[in-house]
């Protein structure tokens, strides 16, 4: 079986992970893919007594995760760490001129992985960021985001982490329905988009075939 009894699954990231969670309730999972994954796994494996923790914070970049990694990841002693970060490292370049170079992004991400592997015996799940071309200006983001997507893929390969290849999956889904159906602003998933992430995550870790 993929998951063991009493496993602790921690979700980390930005607003896509946060998805409206109640910061005053430590057990709040928001209303997005973290909640959907917890529901599916809780239903599939009730005997395993799995614990799910969401510590995504809206607006975060990779460097922001670095600053809170001890408190919001390592102290929880998770046995699974799911990291979904990167779109704000691109977005801030276009809305406020705060560029995160590929080198800076990789250094921050590599630090998160290194500290996790040093402190925990946890399985890593790296979720690559995506962007869809709605509105039209999002098309220009590819120049900045694509190198970051490749960095996530390379780190997953280097460290033997599970990779959730969202960018290609959302592009493929957009051939079935308009991109806005999956993410109205090209970034934040709709309910269907969160379901897509959920299925991709569960397939990547080996729960679904």
């Amino acid at each position: 079986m993929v998951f063991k009894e009493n496993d602790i699954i921690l979700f980390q990231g930005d607003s896509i992970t946060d998805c409206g969670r109640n910061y005053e309730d430590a057990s709040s999972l928001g209303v997005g893919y973290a909640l959907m994954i917890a529901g599916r796994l809780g239903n599939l494996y009730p005997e395993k007594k799995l614990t799910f923790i969401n510590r995504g914070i809206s607006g975060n970049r990779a460097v922001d995760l670095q600053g809170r990694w001890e408190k919001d990841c390592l102290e929880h002693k998770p046995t699974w760490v799911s990291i979904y970060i990167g779109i704000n490292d691109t977005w801030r370049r276009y809305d406020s001129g705060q560029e995160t170079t590929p080198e800076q992004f990789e250094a921050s991400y590599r630090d998160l992985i290194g500290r996790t592997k040093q402190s925990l015996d946890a399985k890593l799940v790296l979720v690559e960021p995506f962007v869809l071309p709605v509105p039209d200006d999002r098309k220009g983001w590819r120049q900045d985001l694509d190198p970051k997507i490749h960095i996530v893929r390379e780190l997953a390969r280097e460290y033997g982490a599970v990779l959730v290849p969202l960018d290609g999956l959302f592009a493929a889904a957009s051939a079935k329905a308009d991109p806005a159906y999956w993410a109205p602003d090209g970034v934040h998933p709709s309910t269907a988009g969160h379901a897509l992430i959920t299925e991709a995550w569960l397939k990547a870790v080996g729960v679904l075939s």
Side-chain angles (χ1 to χ4, degrees):
M1 301 296 286
V2 174
F3 294 96
K4 299 176 181 177
E5 189 171 354
N6 297 316
D7 265 350
I8 300 171
I9 298 102
L10 173 76
F11 299 100
Q12 263 292 0
D14 51 38
S15 59
I16 300 172
T17 302
D18 178 334
C19 207
R21 71 180 179 89
N22 180 356
Y23 291 8
E24 296 179 2
D25 179 0
S27 66
S28 175
L29 295 173
V31 295
Y33 78 90
L35 178 68
M36 293 181 181
I37 290 171
R40 292 285 292 277
L41 293 179
N43 180 49
L44 286 170
Y45 308 118
E47 75 285 355
K48 292 191 179 296
K49 303 178 180 65
L50 303 176
T51 298
F52 302 93
I53 301 171
N54 184 350
R55 288 298 179 270
I57 293 182
S58 182
N60 269 196
R61 298 166 296 164
V63 68
D64 299 308
L65 294 191
Q66 277 184 282
R68 59 187 184 83
W69 205 243
E70 180 68 35
K71 175 175 68 74
D72 283 346
C73 177
L74 304 182
E75 286 185 6
H76 295 287
K77 301 189 185 310
T79 50
W80 288 78
V81 177
S82 178
I83 306 173
Y84 183 1
I85 200 72
I87 191 61
N88 288 319
D89 293 84
T90 288
W91 202 335
R92 292 295 85 79
R93 173 181 175 180
Y94 295 100
D95 72 357
S96 59
Q98 298 178 19
E99 181 180 5
T100 301
T101 67
E103 293 77 15
Q104 291 170 328
F105 180 72
E106 180 176 352
S108 293
Y109 215 129
R110 190 177 291 277
D111 178 61
L112 298 175
I113 294 172
R115 287 160 65 188
T116 302
K117 294 186 79 69
Q118 183 177 15
S119 299
L120 305 171
D121 181 21
K123 293 181 176 63
L124 289 168
V125 181
L126 308 188
V127 185
E128 67 182 33
F130 76 91
V131 68
L132 293 177
V134 278
D136 282 345
D137 70 336
R138 302 290 194 253
K139 295 175 182 177
W141 291 17
R142 301 289 339 178
Q143 178 184 5
D144 188 275
L145 186 64
D146 283 351
K148 294 178 172 67
I149 291 171
H150 289 296
I151 286 167
V152 176
R153 294 172 182 173
E154 290 165 5
L155 289 173
R157 182 167 54 248
E158 178 180 342
Y159 286 98
V162 174
L163 175 70
V164 184
L166 285 191
D167 191 55
L169 293 173
F170 270 92
S174 295
K176 301 176 183 176
D178 188 82
Y181 174 82
W182 303 103
D185 64 355
V187 172
H188 295 97
S190 62
T191 300
H194 276 283
L196 189 158
I197 296 171
T198 298
E199 184 168 305
W201 196 99
L202 292 172
K203 284 182 177 178
V205 303
V207 170
L208 300 179
S209 57

